[in-house]
Amino acid sequence: MASALWSCLVLALLSGLAASGIPRSPFRLLAKRSLAEGVVDGIEIYSTKIISKVTSRFAHNVVTTRAVNRAEKAKEVSFDVELPKTAFITNFTLTIDGVTYPGNVKEKEVAKKQYEKAVSQGKTAGLVKASGRKLEKFTVSVNVAAGSKVTFELTYEELLKRHKGKYEMYLKIQPKQLIKHFEIEADIFEPQGISMLDAEASFITNDLLGSALTKSFSGKKGHVSFKPSLEQQRSCPTCTDSLLNGDFTITYDVNRESPANVQIVNGYFVHFFAPQGLPVVPKNVVFVIDVSGSMAGRKIEQTRDALLKILEDMKEDDYLNFILFSGDVTTWKENLVQATPENLQEAKAFVRNINDRGMTNINDALLRGINMLNKAWEEHKVPEKSTSIIIMLTDGDANTGESRPEKIQENVRNAIGGKFPLYNLGFGNNLNYNFLESMALENHGFARRIYEDSDANLQLQGFYEEVANPLLTEVEVEYPENAILDLTQNNYQHYYDGSEIVVAGRLLDEDMNRFKADVKGHGAINDLTFTEEVDLKEMEKALKEQDYIFGDYIERLWAYLTIEQLLEKGKKAHGEEKENLTAQALDLSLKYHFVTPLTSMVVTKPEDNEDQTAIADKPGEARSASPSTAYLTNYQPPQTPYYYVDGDPHFIIQVTEKDDAICFNIDEDPGTVLRLIQDPVTGLTVNGQIIGDKKVNPDSKTRKTYFGKLGIANAQMDLRIEVTTEKITLWNGDSQSTFSWLDTVTVTQDGVSVTINRKKNMIVSFGDGVTFVIVLHQVWKKHPVHRDFLGFYVVDSHQMSVQTHGLLGQFFHPFDFQVFDVHPSSDPTKPDATMVVKNHWLTVTRGSQKDYGKDASIGTKVFCWFVHNNGEGLIDGVHTDYIVPSLF
Ligand SMILES: *[C@@H]1O[C@H](CO)[C@@H](O)[C@H](O)[C@H]1NC(C)=O
Ligand SMILES: *[C@@H]1O[C@H](CO)[C@@H](O)[C@H](O)[C@H]1NC(C)=O
């Protein structure tokens, strides 16, 4: 029996978690010399399966390989999988002739002793080694008796991070022999809905793969399957070697209609945040570039090349400067300069002339850069709403000036003072990467290794693209106090376009009904607060309907993130604090069975009395989460009377003194824009555009018209807000931000505040004294006649001037009316009367309208005196006087 050949196999998984990077997950099987088809050196690998299940970005991968020893003597079989450095192995089992040897996660020290003992006894031991840029190689070999079968099963998990607008999962495939059953099956479940999904193999065009590759997605589910037949695996029709050799990549993204998504399962929550459509915050970038002697040759050429490309992508609002360092420090300009076309031209000429020289003085170079940014800020030389970034590239260790890493870190930390992030790029291997990483992490940035290769320039550009578009700065995610425990990182200096902020935690009270989160940040023009509210009962209901995924994924996702962050914090901590962080990370790694840098997987022979025929089961019970539901933060309009227009445009003017209201309709052709409010003193204007029903009704007496678009402008502030039934667009000068009616967000800026309550209403306030509410009326999408429309409510107008005019605005100042001679009309419920208003005698009819200002779904009835003929006699002039050519 093969199992007799060893009693303890220890897999010391050496490096678990490395700097963040594109996740890659590869797979490879080693076998030697080809003898017969499908059998190499006596070993037939007859099946290889990679099963991936991705739920809410959390990927759970199981790689299973089965082999049989067809030789007449014992043979060694190797199992070799390349997985992303960012992944944690969570399980490994070996099954030889039906006997399963399960893996256990142990503290590294404990495991190491067993490992050393196993090695000293000549036993087989597995190992994980760094392999390539993003990968780690897991290797294990076992001796298999003649005629015996062996099954290897490796499980690993990781949180897919969003880079440049998508999630990417790499599987490296390199079987080196033809395999009867070769299969990749990936199931993706995303509660927000999948917006794109693709799968590609680097080793062959998708056309040639034909029926072997299928990919599909619909709603919340995506599926990729790759099952090449033996024939399709051949590198040529008569060949016995495999064509499969390279990367198999799955990429996807989720719907972004809503900026955030919250999922809660079994008391654990995860909150994803990735708003779209915001303008880019201008940035002030200082590039601190190593030009020491070791950079000579290709490295400096590639750096020049990358910087030239980066300069092409700079936006005119950005400010920049270059600092070159070797033994001494030189700068391109004394201070930061704006990225005008002329300056960029000059910068390119400067970059082309960068040459290597001398030693490496990291300390002085960084301090110069930091001081330059601090000074530009203090002296208001850069725009107020800009953000700063410092990017350092080096290929070696500090060897002149202050060269003690701890001292440099201290100096840099004190100089930056948490104000902006530092990114460190380590070029090549000849450097102290831990130092660069720890320094970047403690200054809210991160480090990247740039591999010395022909694409180093592309790696540099790729890094820059990730940080080139900050959309929000000083992002803070807040939950109600005393409701949340064990929160992962919830503040970020920047949110970059194409990325995603992920926060996870535990609910203190599992029985709570509502979950609320606010994300606050500074945008290019506004301060924003995104509010997300979830109804837990509804989510639970959706969970029950969903029977697709493995059970405790949110808890595991939380554990993964927490461990990752504890390890990161540990890298920048010292002494007792470091020990404490390490201890916490170790506890969690053991509890959740994660192979991290602190733990190892140990595979031991089961005791004779244990069940020896354990067979791998599909992971846990299925469970899932629903998309979060956001609720209206109820807006309570003040008890004072107000003015509004809603429905088939019905204008309602409440008259405080009378405790009564007047109403009128305006009937105009679809497309017409009407002036609702115009105040020459405050500069405020509100216009509305009329839409009709889906079916054109030429009879103006019976046709229905509504407001489909509203334009609110404040000329003094150079601010415009366009509201349609689809989206809300804010312009501030030339900068534009777009929100959807699916957002719950508050935008504030210079006294203006805009709050969107998902699918319900929107509140716009100009300081203290002007507040409008816009109500979204949604009808059934497939309704044959009606379509979505808007209502407009003026709930506070006391700061608007007496010169205010417009269909609603003219009533903002006190006015009086008299009603008498109430008499029955043709409709007994709607008596007629005579009204005297603005010196006109009018026949009016008692009627009622709905007021949706308090609740967008259930209107309250408001009684009013209806003025006929487009408000003739009530409004100043005639209604066509209020037609304007455009929304703004
Ligand atoms: C870490 O420190 C905190 C207090 O600072 C303490 O409550 C906790 O028990 C410590 N954790 C470990 C694992 O030592
Ligand atoms: C590891 O995998 C084996 C085989 O699939 C399974 O029986 C066992 O429960 C797994 N262990 C853990 C901790 O998931």
Side-chain angles (χ1 to χ4, degrees):
M1 278 265 298
S3 52
L5 295 175
W6 53 283
S7 63
C8 172
L9 173 88
V10 183
L11 307 168
L13 304 175
L14 292 181
S15 62
L17 190 95
S20 61
I22 301 168
R24 290 197 148 220
S25 122
F27 163 78
R28 190 157 93 102
L29 265 174
L30 283 186
K32 290 138 210 161
R33 269 183 320 123
S34 181
L35 289 177
E37 180 164 310
V39 181
V40 177
D41 198 15
I43 302 295
E44 182 189 357
I45 293 161
Y46 58 94
S47 162
T48 284
K49 273 190 192 173
I50 305 173
I51 306 288
S52 295
K53 288 190 183 288
V54 184
T55 308
S56 299
R57 308 38 161 179
F58 196 66
H60 176 92
N61 302 294
V62 183
V63 182
T64 311
T65 281
R66 295 171 207 278
V68 52
N69 180 2
R70 301 227 181 269
E72 291 179 351
K73 54 178 183 176
K75 288 272 175 190
E76 189 166 89
V77 181
S78 297
F79 174 69
D80 192 353
V81 176
E82 285 187 60
L83 61 141
K85 285 177 180 171
T86 46
F88 292 145
I89 287 175
T90 60
N91 201 358
F92 176 71
T93 60
L94 245 180
T95 305
I96 301 177
D97 285 334
V99 184
T100 296
Y101 303 85
N104 282 302
V105 174
K106 298 257 168 86
E107 187 178 348
K108 191 155 247 161
E109 283 311 303
V110 176
K112 208 168 124 206
K113 291 203 185 83
Q114 292 179 346
Y115 174 80
E116 279 160 3
K117 194 167 147 224
V119 170
S120 71
Q121 290 170 352
K123 306 262 167 56
T124 310
L127 210 53
V128 176
K129 289 184 212 147
S131 158
R133 297 179 184 176
K134 316 280 185 190
L135 306 176
E136 275 162 359
K137 187 151 82 181
F138 170 90
T139 312
V140 64
S141 307
V142 289
N143 245 311
V144 179
S148 287
K149 284 185 175 178
V150 60
T151 301
F152 302 91
E153 188 191 278
L154 178 78
T155 309
Y156 62 90
E157 293 177 344
E158 71 173 318
L159 182 65
L160 303 177
K161 296 210 167 74
R162 189 160 180 257
H163 285 286
K164 298 184 201 169
K166 54 186 192 256
Y167 309 95
E168 258 172 339
M169 188 158 89
Y170 286 84
L171 301 165
K172 189 155 175 186
I173 301 176
Q174 207 169 15
K176 296 255 175 111
Q177 79 185 84
L178 302 176
I179 297 176
K180 212 179 281 164
H181 302 288
F182 183 91
E183 174 177 2
I184 297 173
E185 290 286 341
D187 280 307
I188 300 169
F189 175 75
E190 286 292 345
Q192 282 157 289
I194 293 172
S195 61
M196 67 78 99
L197 179 142
D198 199 11
E200 278 182 350
S202 66
F203 42 88
I204 189 167
T205 63
N206 282 1
D207 297 352
L208 289 174
L209 287 174
S211 57
L213 175 66
T214 61
K215 49 194 177 186
S216 61
F217 69 97
S218 152
K220 299 173 183 179
K221 295 178 186 180
H223 182 76
V224 174
S225 157
F226 178 53
K227 270 191 225 179
S229 66
L230 269 180
E231 298 316 308
Q232 284 168 320
Q233 290 177 42
R234 280 178 216 283
S235 59
C236 75
T238 54
C239 297
T240 53
D241 59 331
S242 179
L243 177 84
L244 311 184
N245 182 358
D247 293 338
F248 187 83
T249 317
I250 299 173
T251 50
Y252 76 93
D253 198 17
V254 305
N255 288 329
R256 300 280 162 198
E257 284 143 4
S258 180
N261 180 258
V262 174
Q263 293 161 46
I264 305 175
V265 175
N266 295 345
Y268 285 84
F269 76 89
V270 61
H271 181 179
F272 298 102
F273 177 73
Q276 309 285 291
L278 303 174
V280 175
V281 179
K283 48 186 191 313
N284 316 309
V285 197
V286 173
F287 296 94
V288 181
I289 306 292
D290 185 345
V291 292
S292 60
S294 56
M295 287 285 288
R298 192 161 75 152
K299 279 199 254 179
I300 205 129
E301 275 167 37
Q302 289 174 320
T303 305
R304 276 198 295 255
D305 191 48
L307 289 175
L308 288 172
K309 289 277 176 2
I310 288 170
L311 284 172
E312 277 170 25
D313 291 343
M314 283 252 152
K315 300 186 179 59
E316 188 149 3
D317 290 345
D318 293 343
Y319 280 68
L320 78 155
N321 203 352
F322 291 100
I323 294 179
L324 305 184
F325 69 99
S326 51
D328 54 15
V329 176
T330 57
T331 67
W332 170 46
K333 296 282 182 188
E334 191 58 29
N335 293 304
L336 287 149
V337 297
Q338 195 177 353
T340 58
E342 305 76 52
N343 282 339
L344 287 179
Q345 229 24 61
E346 207 185 310
K348 283 183 192 165
F350 173 80
V351 164
R352 283 192 199 99
N353 283 316
I354 293 178
N355 281 309
D356 61 280
R357 52 186 187 237
M359 314 275 284
T360 310
N361 189 340
I362 289 179
N363 186 68
D364 291 358
L366 276 176
L367 293 182
R368 178 80 70 90
I370 296 162
N371 293 339
M372 200 180 272
L373 282 167
N374 283 338
K375 189 166 151 244
W377 193 255
E378 281 154 18
E379 294 176 358
H380 305 286
K381 295 273 168 53
V382 289
E384 195 199 332
K385 293 250 177 196
S386 64
T387 186
S388 301
I389 293 175
I390 185 160
I391 299 172
M392 179 182 67
L393 171 77
T394 181
D395 77 331
D397 295 335
N399 57 14
T400 185
E402 177 55 74
S403 58
R404 290 167 298 171
E406 314 77 54
K407 192 68 195 157
I408 299 176
Q409 274 186 244
E410 186 186 321
N411 292 344
V412 167
R413 194 168 56 230
N414 291 339
I416 293 185
K419 291 193 289 289
F420 47 83
L422 164 69
Y423 296 100
N424 285 332
L425 304 176
F427 204 155
N429 281 314
N430 194 18
L431 42 75
N432 183 348
Y433 189 77
N434 288 345
F435 155 64
L436 294 182
E437 185 175 34
S438 146
M439 179 161 63
L441 287 173
E442 69 183 10
N443 291 293
H444 304 285
F446 55 77
R448 274 289 158 79
R449 208 186 264 289
I450 302 296
Y451 294 87
E452 276 190 75
D453 212 332
S454 56
D455 69 344
N457 49 345
L458 299 178
Q459 297 174 49
L460 277 166
Q461 276 168 251
F463 156 78
Y464 181 75
E465 280 167 29
E466 281 182 43
V467 299
N469 297 311
L471 299 186
L472 290 173
T473 64
E474 291 170 47
V475 183
E476 280 202 28
V477 190
E478 292 172 0
Y479 303 93
E481 257 174 69
N482 305 325
I484 300 299
L485 288 172
D486 299 334
L487 197 61
T488 62
Q489 187 181 340
N490 66 332
N491 52 68
Y492 289 84
Q493 220 149 22
H494 286 146
Y495 160 69
Y496 293 108
D497 196 18
S499 71
E500 182 172 63
I501 287 175
V502 183
V503 184
R506 222 148 52 79
L507 303 185
L508 189 62
D509 171 14
E510 272 197 47
D511 297 325
M512 67 199 268
N513 296 325
R514 289 269 175 109
F515 177 90
K516 182 168 171 287
D518 282 332
V519 186
K520 295 189 174 159
H522 304 302
I525 359 173
N526 315 303
D527 292 341
L528 296 116
T529 305
F530 292 85
T531 305
E532 195 68 11
E533 261 196 82
V534 180
D535 183 307
L536 292 182
K537 289 276 170 311
E538 279 198 21
M539 182 170 282
E540 203 176 307
K541 217 167 75 195
L543 287 179
K544 287 192 182 120
E545 286 160 17
Q546 190 55 252
D547 184 26
Y548 188 64
I549 48 141
F550 58 97
D552 52 356
Y553 76 99
I554 293 185
E555 183 173 348
R556 294 196 66 81
L557 189 163
W558 165 83
Y560 174 100
L561 257 189
T562 305
I563 294 170
E564 191 182 51
Q565 293 176 358
L566 285 169
L567 293 170
E568 243 177 34
K569 273 195 212 153
K571 281 181 196 161
K572 57 187 185 193
H574 305 279
E576 226 171 80
E577 193 195 351
K578 195 184 184 91
E579 277 172 29
N580 186 309
L581 292 166
T582 308
Q584 289 178 46
L586 175 63
D587 280 355
L588 284 175
S589 304
L590 293 172
K591 178 168 178 206
Y592 289 95
H593 222 247
F594 282 128
V595 177
T596 66
L598 308 172
T599 52
S600 297
M601 176 82 69
V602 181
V603 182
T604 45
K605 183 186 172 191
E607 295 305 323
D608 286 345
N609 58 2
E610 275 183 41
D611 182 6
Q612 302 207 338
T613 53
I615 302 292
D617 268 328
K618 278 265 192 285
E621 72 193 42
R623 204 194 297 268
S624 138
S626 79
S628 61
T629 332
Y631 282 86
L632 163 72
T633 353
N634 260 324
Y635 178 78
Q636 296 297 340
Q639 290 310 304
T640 54
Y642 62 119
Y643 317 89
Y644 68 88
V645 51
D646 208 342
D648 182 12
H650 302 302
F651 291 76
I652 311 279
I653 315 299
Q654 290 208 338
V655 183
T656 344
E657 296 77 18
K658 294 274 174 222
D659 195 17
D660 206 346
I662 306 179
C663 47
F664 60 96
N665 287 1
I666 297 289
D667 185 45
E668 263 305 328
D669 293 334
T672 308
V673 180
L674 295 172
R675 171 140 294 165
L676 304 179
I677 296 173
Q678 183 177 34
D679 180 2
V681 176
T682 59
L684 266 173
T685 349
V686 180
N687 295 328
Q689 186 171 36
I690 286 174
I691 51 166
D693 270 331
K694 284 177 186 160
K695 285 211 180 100
V696 185
N697 181 346
D699 179 3
S700 70
K701 288 245 155 48
T702 55
R703 77 172 167 198
K704 296 258 182 205
T705 53
Y706 309 92
F707 279 114
K709 217 185 238 186
L710 291 166
I712 302 172
N714 187 324
Q716 288 175 5
M717 303 178 93
D718 200 6
L719 173 88
R720 283 177 296 150
I721 305 171
E722 184 184 283
V723 188
T724 71
T725 55
E726 304 282 324
K727 60 176 200 245
I728 295 111
T729 313
L730 269 69
W731 285 273
N732 203 281
D734 293 335
S735 311
Q736 176 188 337
S737 321
T738 306
F739 302 93
S740 120
W741 272 109
L742 294 171
D743 295 336
T744 297
V745 60
T746 302
V747 183
T748 52
Q749 172 213 350
D750 306 333
V752 182
S753 142
V754 177
T755 297
I756 302 164
N757 288 309
R758 188 182 148 93
K759 290 187 176 180
K760 303 264 170 164
N761 64 13
M762 178 180 149
I763 301 157
V764 183
S765 299
F766 291 89
D768 204 11
V770 179
T771 300
F772 307 138
V773 175
I774 293 156
V775 174
L776 175 69
H777 293 277
Q778 283 187 309
V779 301
W780 177 45
K781 280 262 173 298
K782 291 185 184 146
H783 194 288
V785 181
H786 298 317
R787 58 165 102 192
D788 298 353
F789 64 95
L790 302 169
F792 179 76
Y793 293 74
V794 179
V795 296
D796 188 359
S797 56
H798 80 262
Q799 287 289 357
M800 294 187 90
S801 81
V802 291
Q803 293 175 48
T804 307
H805 212 263
L807 282 168
L808 286 173
Q810 62 186 284
F811 299 104
F812 292 175
H813 5 276
F815 80 106
D816 199 9
F817 68 90
Q818 308 293 333
V819 174
F820 49 89
D821 184 24
V822 181
H823 56 274
S825 72
S826 49
D827 181 344
T829 61
K830 294 178 176 171
D832 279 348
T834 301
M835 176 186 283
V836 181
V837 61
K838 293 187 179 171
N839 293 327
H840 295 114
W841 289 64
L842 309 171
T843 300
V844 293
T845 306
R846 193 62 173 164
S848 69
Q849 302 293 349
K850 284 277 181 92
D851 172 358
Y852 296 93
K854 294 187 187 70
D855 187 316
S857 50
I858 317 159
T860 48
K861 228 179 203 180
V862 174
F863 288 96
C864 59
W865 291 107
F866 182 75
V867 180
H868 298 266
N869 299 329
N870 292 313
E872 201 180 276
L874 170 70
I875 59 172
D876 294 339
V878 291
H879 83 277
T880 48
D881 295 347
Y882 298 87
I883 295 177
V884 289
S886 67
L887 212 53
F888 293 110

